[in-house]
Amino acid sequence: QVHLVESGGGLVQPGGSLRLSCAASGRIFSIDVMAWYRQAPGKQRELVATVSSGGTTNYGDSVKGRFTISRDNAKNTVYLQMNSLKPEDTAVYYCNTDVRESPFLTRNYWGQGTQVTVSS
């Protein structure tokens, strides 16, 4: 079993910044792709950003140029630096990752979510 613990959410004014963290712990052989998703009230969950084990990143169109995803493989942790935040970035942010628990078993896990509210 693997647990993902997120932190760093909160209330910020438009134009401000926040940094989210997500640490994985438990039965981990290796971690493949790590990602952040978000879900606003009344909307579907959407992909924010992904980062591969080799550091290749990918971003949703709405956050390109403002958000930066990174990871620390030694700590099994993924980060999301969010700059120039807008009210439309308000959502619950979820960490998601594919964890290789053994050479023959990979499972997908979700974090519990952390609320980000952008408001004046």
Side-chain angles (χ1 to χ4, degrees):
Q1 188 72 13
V2 173
H3 297 281
L4 302 181
V5 178
E6 300 156 351
S7 61
L11 173 65
V12 64
Q13 292 186 341
S17 299
L18 281 176
R19 189 191 194 208
L20 306 183
S21 300
C22 173
S25 62
R27 184 182 176 186
I28 299 172
F29 180 78
S30 66
I31 297 180
D32 297 330
V33 176
M34 304 186 84
W36 288 97
Y37 287 77
R38 68 184 182 185
Q39 188 167 20
K43 295 186 177 181
Q44 289 188 333
R45 192 169 296 189
E46 65 170 343
L47 176 68
V48 175
T50 66
V51 58
S52 72
S53 58
T56 300
T57 58
N58 185 40
Y59 296 93
D61 289 340
S62 61
V63 306
K64 283 181 180 177
R66 299 187 298 122
F67 291 10
T68 302
I69 189 170
S70 61
R71 62 190 283 171
D72 184 332
N73 291 330
K75 296 181 179 180
N76 293 326
T77 299
V78 62
Y79 305 97
L80 185 69
Q81 178 65 44
M82 305 185 293
N83 299 328
S84 302
L85 282 161
K86 305 174 181 180
E88 50 263 45
D89 294 318
T90 296
V92 178
Y93 284 71
Y94 296 92
C95 174
N96 177 270
T97 183
D98 291 324
V99 178
R100 192 177 301 273
E101 298 182 30
S102 76
F104 311 104
L105 176 63
T106 298
R107 288 179 175 163
N108 185 262
Y109 288 92
W110 289 92
Q112 81 283 0
T114 185
Q115 177 70 46
V116 171
T117 302
V118 185
S119 175
S120 55

